Amino acid sequence: MIIQLKMSGDEPLYVQLRNQIVIGIGTGQLSLGQPLPTVRQMAQDTGINVMTVNKAYNILKNEGYIEIDRRHGAKVNPAVDLNGEFKAKMEEELKLLITESTLKGVSKEHFLEMCNALYEELNIQTYSEVMV
């Protein structure tokens, strides 16, 4: 998987790295149990600070996307949200996105078409497919 970060963008690098890894997991570019580069190796490969990579990895660990073991490093772990925090977060983010889209003139139909097209383009795997 190739990590592409925008060094001059508004989004912090640790957020970009976190998002790239989540997309990699969701699209199957990173598979269950697959090891990730060490923090130092990822920093070297992406040209960013070790602390930035460490922050991204810790967020991914806290969200359940990766496991970190001192002996074996970081590896992909499917995130299971048993407490509904993700659902609440998703609803809030979608509420804002839908409202902004509507204010910019995007119809409900066009919004849903865009969502469906992106879902197909990304070829997102369902949780049960990831577990196989």
Side-chain angles (χ1 to χ4, degrees):
M1 179 178 154
I2 298 174
I3 302 289
Q4 297 176 334
L5 304 175
K6 297 177 185 171
M7 299 298 183
S8 62
D10 291 337
E11 191 169 45
L13 293 172
Y14 73 91
V15 173
Q16 292 181 51
L17 180 58
R18 177 253 179 224
N19 293 347
Q20 290 281 313
I21 291 172
V22 170
I23 290 171
I25 295 168
T27 58
Q29 294 175 3
L30 295 170
S31 57
L32 177 63
Q34 181 175 346
L36 295 175
T38 65
V39 170
R40 289 181 196 272
Q41 186 63 52
M42 180 66 82
Q44 185 177 350
D45 292 349
T46 58
I48 61 177
N49 188 290
V50 171
M51 295 304 290
T52 302
V53 175
N54 194 47
K55 187 171 184 175
Y57 275 25
N58 280 323
I59 290 170
L60 289 162
K61 177 185 173 201
N62 291 337
E63 293 174 336
Y65 291 110
I66 66 172
E67 295 175 339
I68 299 177
D69 179 318
R70 287 184 177 213
R71 294 179 304 170
H72 300 104
K75 64 181 180 178
V76 175
N77 178 46
V80 179
D81 183 43
L82 300 176
N83 57 14
E85 285 182 31
F86 177 76
K87 182 180 177 194
K89 175 186 172 198
M90 184 175 71
E91 286 176 353
E92 283 302 311
E93 291 180 8
L94 279 171
K95 193 181 302 181
L96 178 61
L97 186 58
I98 290 167
T99 302
E100 288 177 341
S101 298
T102 302
L103 291 171
K104 299 288 184 180
V106 177
S107 69
K108 175 182 176 181
E109 293 76 20
H110 189 233
F111 183 87
L112 293 174
E113 286 173 11
M114 290 172 62
C115 288
N116 285 328
L118 284 170
Y119 203 92
E120 293 299 320
E121 178 184 318
L122 291 171
N123 192 28
I124 298 293
Q125 298 178 346
T126 63
Y127 178 71
S128 59
E129 292 171 331
V130 171
M131 292 299 291
V132 173

